[in-house]
Amino acid sequence: MKRTTLLILLFTAFSLLAQDKFKTSTAIVNFEASVPFFEEVKAVNKLGTIVLEPQSSTIICTVVIKDFRFKMDLMQEHFNENYIESHRYPKSVFKGKIEKFDLKNVDGIEKEYDIKGKLYLHGKSKIIEMKALIKRVPEGIQISCNYPISVSDFNIAIPSIVSSKISKTANTNLLGVLQNEEEKKYLTLK
């Protein structure tokens, strides 16, 4: 009897902890480093992973560099081989804290939050700050944010022959709908 009660308590505690973690592996990350009058430098990655731990207000976003898609294959090849060197630095990771975040306050009305954390890209890291819009949607919690990335902060070399055709700052945005496992099971059963 004691053993059964202990197992039930442990399972319940584990379930409660697991419920508080929200995740998606289909976040959309866009970036654009276009310069007027030249070819558009723009890519999208639809396989970003975001994990939100509400108890600690921690957010982690991981993006596999090779999953970025460009309009032109040659641009994608140069991006991976010459600029970002995805064979050496296959992922970009952001880990930060959402300031003044409380899951109880997240509802259908979009609210702005400050996020501060460390971005790892191209073998370098930098503390960055950004604004995020967070709200509850039927599928879970939606997070969207925009942030500029300066190529010089991450030692991304742009050859002089094309340097006037590519912006020194990549405007980046992220959009994801995160679910916890319990909500995911419930939505699947509907």
Side-chain angles (χ1 to χ4, degrees), residues 18 23 26 33 55 65-66 69 74 84 94 106 125 153 165 167 173 178 183 186:
K23 182 180 179 181
T26 58
Q55 289 180 332
I65 300 299
K66 284 190 175 189
R69 297 293 172 244
L74 186 58
I84 300 294
F94 173 81
V106 176
S125 65
D153 288 342
K165 299 176 183 180
S167 175
N173 61 59
L178 291 68
E183 285 182 8
Y186 175 74

Side-chain angles (χ1 to χ4, degrees), residues 172-185:
T172 309
N173 61 59
L174 167 74
L175 175 65
V177 176
L178 291 68
Q179 297 177 329
N180 70 23
E181 292 304 312
E182 293 303 312
E183 285 182 8
K184 192 182 250 184
K185 288 178 192 172

